[in-house]
Amino acid sequence: MRVVNIEYRDVYITLDLSLKQLKYLRDLFNHADIQYDGEDEPEMKEAVDFLNNQFHPFLVQVVKDNESNLGE
């Protein structure tokens, strides 16, 4: 794993991850139970929504698309 590039727009980071590492992340998120107090941590709702509705589905699709290409 390594950082390939950092661009200072907002902050954009390009990562280099192996398919195996992506599978680890996918599997961890599949089993994650995120608990937070919406009253004390209202910013967490947005973070959890991002994980559940954008990042995790993206990660699942990337793994699915590339498993067949690499015969895994």
Side-chain angles (χ1 to χ4, degrees), residues 1-62:
M1 180 182 334
R2 66 187 175 112
V3 174
V4 175
N5 187 27
I6 297 176
E7 295 181 24
Y8 295 97
R9 293 182 261 176
D10 181 359
V11 171
Y12 288 80
I13 299 173
T14 304
L15 298 174
D16 183 330
L17 299 168
S18 70
L19 182 58
K20 185 175 186 176
Q21 292 168 331
L22 290 175
K23 287 180 179 182
Y24 287 154
L25 288 172
R26 177 204 57 194
D27 294 345
L28 286 167
F29 289 139
N30 284 343
H31 290 86
D33 181 22
I34 301 169
Q35 299 178 10
Y36 65 96
D37 183 336
E39 295 290 322
D40 290 339
E41 302 171 286
E43 71 283 354
M44 285 299 297
K45 181 180 182 339
E46 188 175 341
V48 171
D49 286 345
F50 168 75
L51 176 65
N52 290 331
N53 299 317
Q54 293 181 37
F55 186 72
H56 184 257
F58 170 77
L59 183 60
V60 168
Q61 190 63 50
V62 168

